[in-house]
Amino acid sequence: AALEQEPGSWFCSDAQGVAAETWSAVARKHAEFLVSQQRRLRRLFVKTKCEEEDVLYWALKTRGEGPLLERCFMFTDWADDPRWAQAAAPCSCP
């Protein structure tokens, strides 16, 4: 229901806005773009340990694709990590 109310892709990005947590919800139009550009993205990111963290958010943000919503819904508690604390704050997770 929440995705219907806030359409777009949900990411939990880092403070620098260049990567996002593994857990995300990618809108169909964004997924279609990423699939259509898969070869190009693989050439840009030859060596990466976490494709989903390093490529998906960056590619969509760099292209100006939107909306990209800051929504953190993973199970990791990042509140004490300065790179992720701001993104994790709205969660109010126990």
Side-chain angles (χ1 to χ4, degrees), residues 11-22 34 41 44-45 48 50-63 68 70 83-84 86-87:
F11 289 97
C12 185
S13 63
D14 63 5
Q16 294 78 28
V18 295
E21 259 288 340
T22 296
L34 291 166
L41 292 171
L44 284 172
F45 289 87
T48 181
C50 298
E51 281 184 353
E52 69 279 4
E53 291 183 5
D54 296 336
V55 179
L56 303 181
Y57 179 76
W58 177 87
L60 294 171
K61 183 179 176 185
T62 301
R63 266 284 287 198
L68 302 180
E70 188 64 39
R83 297 170 297 169
W84 300 96
Q86 183 178 2

Side-chain angles (χ1 to χ4, degrees), residues 6 9-13 23-24 69-74 87:
E6 293 185 292
S9 290
W10 290 18
F11 289 97
C12 185
S13 63
W23 307 108
S24 58
L69 304 170
E70 188 64 39
R71 301 289 181 271
C72 297
F73 55 91
M74 77 297 259

